[in-house]
Amino acid sequence: MSSSVFTWTPGWVWLLAVCTFSAAQHETLSQNCSTEANQLLAALEEVVECGEDLSWSSEDLASVLLSTMKLKDLLQKQQLKDCHGAQPKECPEPKIPQNGGLVCVTAANRRFCKPLCNNGFDFAFLRRSRLYDECSERTKYKWDSQYVGGNTLAVCSEALLQISGAKTAYFPQNQTCLTTKSSSQHQSDVIRTFIKELADQSVHAESQHACLVCGEQ
């Protein structure tokens, strides 16, 4: 292992602290945090490559764990904003399923969201012919979910077989929601597939506010 890895240790803690603070204060420090993000990503990738060969003190380990836990919560909230502000604004924000995600789009002032589960998880309810849920004037600006009276659209539970949903309602075996979202191509593919499915259901208006958001993985 290169000795440079270990000289980076204070820098990693500092980068995590700066980015965590900047994310919380994004209105005034967003440019600073954007600058640090690339350095942070490179440093974290190097840490992962180290595997179990890291020779950090227990204090360093605790400091990094605390910072990464805070940063994870901030980043999770930040990526959920990708779907914020969509029309119609009367619709409440849907709850993102853990171990999966939601792909959403607005068409003809109707909001449609399609739940997806990661590999190894399946829907609690049978929804093979139910690709998506809707919120619009027609639904009195409530989600027409199988979970009546709330904003939960789906629950992804651990399962050996994925049989409750349509084939396109699951992320591929070698992908999760987050790995899909980390690739612009994969993310676009998921959105395009959903837009096509809406068109097949006679929803032909130009789609707007398309987004993919991930729950806790």
Side-chain angles (χ1 to χ4, degrees):
M1 189 60 54
S2 170
S3 60
S4 64
V5 172
F6 304 111
T7 59
W8 272 67
T9 300
W12 282 330
V13 178
W14 177 78
L15 283 170
L16 284 167
V18 169
C19 198
T20 301
F21 176 76
S22 298
Q25 304 291 332
H26 65 278
E27 292 295 334
T28 56
L29 298 175
S30 58
Q31 185 176 358
N32 182 39
C33 193
S34 296
T35 301
E36 302 298 345
N38 291 332
Q39 300 177 46
L40 175 62
L41 181 59
L44 290 176
E45 287 176 347
E46 191 173 355
V47 172
V48 172
E49 291 178 1
C50 290
E52 297 181 0
D53 294 329
L54 290 171
S55 59
W56 291 356
S57 69
S58 60
E59 291 81 5
D60 283 340
L61 285 171
S63 295
V64 173
L65 279 172
L66 283 172
S67 294
T68 52
M69 289 170 64
K70 293 177 182 178
L71 185 58
K72 179 184 176 182
D73 290 340
L74 286 168
L75 294 179
Q76 177 65 18
K77 293 177 182 177
Q78 195 72 15
Q79 67 97 18
L80 293 180
K81 291 182 179 180
D82 288 352
C83 279
H84 288 185
Q87 298 288 343
K89 293 188 176 181
E90 295 89 342
C91 290
E93 294 289 341
K95 184 177 179 180
I96 317 301
Q98 292 185 356
N99 302 304
L102 288 179
V103 55
C104 300
V105 68
T106 295
N109 205 37
R110 298 160 66 190
R111 189 65 171 164
F112 302 94
C113 284
K114 172 187 174 182
L116 297 96
C117 288
N118 291 337
N119 184 63
F121 295 85
D122 201 4
F123 300 106
F125 287 114
L126 188 68
R127 52 183 302 137
R128 291 178 188 172
S129 60
R130 187 188 183 92
L131 290 173
Y132 55 81
D133 297 284
E134 177 182 345
C135 178
S136 63
E137 184 179 11
R138 183 187 69 83
T139 68
K140 298 181 180 179
Y141 297 111
K142 297 179 181 179
W143 290 100
D144 62 344
S145 168
Q146 291 171 301
Y147 294 85
V148 180
N151 301 332
T152 298
L153 306 189
V155 173
C156 295
S157 302
E158 191 170 359
L160 294 176
L161 299 176
Q162 295 178 307
I163 57 176
S164 296
K167 290 183 178 180
T168 63
Y170 304 100
F171 292 101
Q173 185 172 358
N174 61 340
Q175 292 175 218
T176 63
C177 182
L178 283 177
T179 58
T180 298
K181 189 169 182 177
S182 68
S183 164
S184 58
Q185 181 61 55
H186 290 158
Q187 182 173 197
S188 296
D189 289 344
V190 170
I191 293 174
R192 279 197 298 268
T193 296
F194 185 35
I195 291 174
K196 183 181 182 301
E197 289 171 335
L198 287 173
D200 292 341
Q201 297 292 322
S202 300
V203 182
H204 298 293
E206 182 179 355
S207 301
Q208 299 175 320
H209 303 290
C211 58
L212 172 66
V213 287
C214 303
E216 293 284 348
Q217 305 292 293

